[in-house]
Amino acid sequence: MKKVFVFFADGFEDIEALGTVDILRRGGIDVTTVSIYDDEYVTSTHGVMIKADTTFGEADFNGADMLVLPGGLPGADNLMNHVPLQKLLLQHNEKGGLIAAICAAPKALGNIGLLNGKRATCYPGCEGTMTGADYTAELCTIDGNIITGEGPAAVFPFAYTLLDVLAGKGASDGLQEGMMFNHLLGK
């Protein structure tokens, strides 16, 4: 079973974090939510407190297939400034591991050089923070092992793309139909 870690910092965007976790878990992916703090409780940008599965210091990232950074402010800044997470992202990238970020969170990848020469998307207005990236303005962009999403409204295409990358092309098709996403697309 594929193993994914989603990182939560105070100020995370609710729908991007929880929507991604929900869709991946529905798709049969082993998802662990990780607070970057010593405490498992993290508060979203909209004041919703959640309890992460574990803390950064307690987590075992061995065998991780994908690391995911939700956006939101100041959540994305808090992720970007967390030195142990920066080191983990760099190590994971060196091994060719999958890394995903949505909304303002791609800036955390740009900040440590992971977007150099890569095509990437982010929340409109944040493109200048994606150091080294070629901004696409797409809902979801894949370039090698890096997957980026535009923002809150893109959480469905972003998370379905992550599922397809992890479980194989078309893995999200039944889920999209069951969750009525196809209805939104006029299918």
Side-chain angles (χ1 to χ4, degrees):
M1 179 180 287
K2 298 290 182 172
K3 193 173 189 178
V4 173
F5 292 90
V6 180
F7 296 91
F8 288 10
D10 286 338
F12 71 88
E13 175 57 47
D14 309 56
I15 195 165
E16 294 166 359
L18 299 175
T20 300
V21 170
D22 178 275
I23 288 170
L24 292 176
R25 285 183 177 172
R26 286 178 192 236
I29 303 299
D30 178 9
V31 178
T32 301
T33 59
V34 181
S35 164
I36 66 166
Y37 309 112
D38 293 334
D39 186 2
E40 294 167 335
Y41 290 93
V42 186
T43 304
S44 78
T45 194
H46 301 289
V48 177
M49 183 179 284
I50 65 121
K51 183 180 180 195
D53 296 321
T54 191
T55 64
F56 195 93
E58 295 173 343
D60 177 4
F61 300 111
N62 289 318
D65 293 293
M66 181 183 285
L67 307 177
V68 181
L69 307 180
L73 291 173
D77 291 331
N78 291 332
L79 293 173
M80 180 176 69
N81 294 321
H82 191 261
V83 175
L85 178 58
Q86 292 173 5
K87 290 177 182 177
L88 177 65
L89 289 164
L90 289 167
Q91 291 168 352
H92 194 67
N93 185 65
E94 284 176 20
K95 294 187 275 186
L98 296 166
I99 298 172
I102 187 170
C103 193
K107 71 161 105 181
L109 305 182
N111 186 56
I112 56 174
L114 295 184
L115 296 181
N116 290 338
K118 298 272 189 181
R119 296 174 69 252
T121 193
C122 64
Y123 191 85
C126 291
E127 56 271 15
T129 68
M130 294 193 312
T131 305
D134 177 21
Y135 177 60
T136 67
E138 298 170 334
L139 288 176
C140 188
T141 300
I142 301 174
D143 191 339
N145 66 317
I146 306 288
I147 304 162
T148 51
E150 185 181 49
V155 71
F156 284 96
F158 175 73
Y160 291 140
T161 297
L162 299 184
L163 181 56
D164 286 343
V165 167
L166 288 161
K169 187 172 171 57
S172 70
D173 291 352
L175 197 53
Q176 288 183 46
E177 186 173 333
M179 292 180 74
M180 304 298 294
F181 182 71
N182 292 337
H183 182 78
L184 290 174
L185 302 177
K187 294 182 182 180

